[in-house]
């Protein structure tokens, strides 16, 4: 029985395949190319018990691709994996080998591989939340600038109704007005995305 660990990076990955005695049978750095990775795993496929990939920011393409061609995939929760305290030499090969080792022992802390359709909805919700947060940042920035320059206060709802002409009448400096208008421009972009045409912006609250 064989076990594969893949240490994934932005443009390459280190692939290690070990047997049930932790003997390394394959160890090589490969480009982030699904066809090349599949070709590397192919000679060992019949005996591969599982493939473990790090839960990095860019794992989707690799995990999904290997699942699609029939491999048993595991997503490593790398923050929960501790290397041996006495390990003196660390590197990509060592990390990949350790992933395979922990998988073999049945001690791998795993992350959930959410199905692609549901994952897309989750990621869209996260993107929407980023825009909501960005909108709030712009509103607070405008409120802060006006408080600094005029001593006045303006509600968040009133900020949303502002147009560039309103800024010119507020008695702030030319440079400050440019900054506020920039905030408004970003605010409008945030409002225009992820808002169904039939809904008001308050649906994002």
């Amino acid at each position: 029985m064989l076990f594969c660990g893949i240490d994934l990076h932005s443009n390459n990955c280190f692939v290690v395949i070990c047997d049930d005695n932790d003997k390394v049978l394959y160890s090589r750095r490969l480009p982030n190319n699904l066809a090349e990775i599949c070709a590397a795993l192919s000679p060992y496929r019949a005996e591969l018990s599982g493939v473990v990939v790090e839960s990095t920011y860019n794992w989707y393409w690799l995990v999904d691709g290997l699942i699609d061609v029939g491999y048993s995939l595991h997503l490593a929760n790398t923050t929960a994996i501790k290397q041996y305290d006495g390990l003196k030499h660390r590197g990509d090969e060592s990390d990949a080998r350790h992933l395979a080792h922990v998988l073999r022992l049945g001690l791998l802390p795993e992350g959930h591989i959410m199905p692609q359709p549901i994952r897309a909805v989750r990621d869209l919700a996260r993107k929407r939340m980023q825009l909501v947060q960005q909108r709030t940042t712009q509103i607070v920035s405008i409120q802060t600038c006006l408080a600094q320059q005029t001593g006045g206060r303006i509600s968040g709802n009133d900020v949303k109704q502002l147009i560039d002409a309103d800024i010119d009448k507020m008695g702030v400096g030319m440079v400050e007005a440019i900054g506020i208008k920039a905030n408004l421009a970003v605010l409008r972009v945030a409002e225009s995305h992820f808002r169904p045409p039939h809904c008001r912006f308050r649906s994002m609250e």
Side-chain angles (χ1 to χ4, degrees), residues 7 54 78-99 101-102:
D7 185 34
E54 285 185 299
T78 51
T79 60
I81 297 177
K82 294 183 179 180
Q83 289 273 20
Y84 294 132
D85 292 336
L87 194 62
K88 295 181 180 179
H89 303 289
R90 284 201 57 191
D92 297 340
E93 181 181 20
S94 172
D95 289 343
R97 188 169 66 248
H98 190 67
L99 289 173
H101 171 72
V102 176

Side-chain angles (χ1 to χ4, degrees), residues 145-192:
C145 184
L146 291 177
Q148 291 171 337
Q149 300 301 316
T150 69
R153 298 182 61 185
I154 184 171
S155 70
N157 285 331
D158 286 340
V159 168
K160 297 176 207 173
Q161 305 304 317
L162 290 174
I163 59 175
D164 287 1
D166 295 327
I167 307 302
D168 296 329
K169 301 174 183 177
M170 286 182 171
V172 299
M174 181 180 68
V175 174
E176 289 77 10
I178 292 173
I180 294 175
K181 290 176 182 178
N183 290 134
L184 280 178
V186 176
L187 174 57
R188 293 186 190 112
V189 172
E191 287 180 340
S192 66

Side-chain angles (χ1 to χ4, degrees), residues 6-200:
I6 301 180
D7 185 34
L8 180 61
H9 300 282
S10 61
N11 61 359
N12 69 85
C13 58
F14 208 101
V15 180
V16 170
I17 297 175
C18 299
D19 64 14
D20 50 12
N21 291 313
D22 283 335
K23 179 182 178 181
V24 175
L25 304 181
Y26 180 92
S27 177
R28 185 170 299 176
R29 187 182 302 280
L30 297 173
N32 282 352
N33 180 285
L34 184 61
E36 292 192 41
I37 295 170
C38 287
L41 299 182
S42 181
Y44 309 93
R45 179 168 184 162
E47 296 182 74
L48 268 179
S49 173
V51 179
V52 54
V53 176
E54 285 185 299
S55 177
T56 54
Y57 74 96
N58 61 332
W59 63 264
Y60 290 2
W61 68 274
L62 180 55
V63 169
D64 293 341
L66 291 177
I67 288 176
D68 287 344
V69 295
Y71 287 97
S72 174
L73 261 290
H74 303 266
L75 187 64
N77 180 356
T78 51
T79 60
I81 297 177
K82 294 183 179 180
Q83 289 273 20
Y84 294 132
D85 292 336
L87 194 62
K88 295 181 180 179
H89 303 289
R90 284 201 57 191
D92 297 340
E93 181 181 20
S94 172
D95 289 343
R97 188 169 66 248
H98 190 67
L99 289 173
H101 171 72
V102 176
L103 178 64
R104 179 182 71 81
L105 295 178
L107 300 176
L108 180 72
E110 295 196 41
H112 176 60
I113 302 176
M114 185 173 289
Q116 292 185 51
I118 301 175
R119 189 194 312 154
V121 174
R122 178 197 63 187
D123 290 348
L124 184 62
R126 288 175 175 173
K127 188 69 66 177
R128 186 172 182 269
M129 181 56 67
Q130 289 175 358
L131 290 176
V132 171
Q133 293 169 343
Q134 185 59 243
R135 185 204 65 162
T136 300
T137 297
Q138 304 311 312
I139 291 173
V140 172
S141 180
I142 292 171
Q143 290 173 321
T144 300
C145 184
L146 291 177
Q148 291 171 337
Q149 300 301 316
T150 69
R153 298 182 61 185
I154 184 171
S155 70
N157 285 331
D158 286 340
V159 168
K160 297 176 207 173
Q161 305 304 317
L162 290 174
I163 59 175
D164 287 1
D166 295 327
I167 307 302
D168 296 329
K169 301 174 183 177
M170 286 182 171
V172 299
M174 181 180 68
V175 174
E176 289 77 10
I178 292 173
I180 294 175
K181 290 176 182 178
N183 290 134
L184 280 178
V186 176
L187 174 57
R188 293 186 190 112
V189 172
E191 287 180 340
S192 66
H193 287 71
F194 299 96
R195 178 180 63 174
H198 60 280
C199 296
R200 295 180 60 83

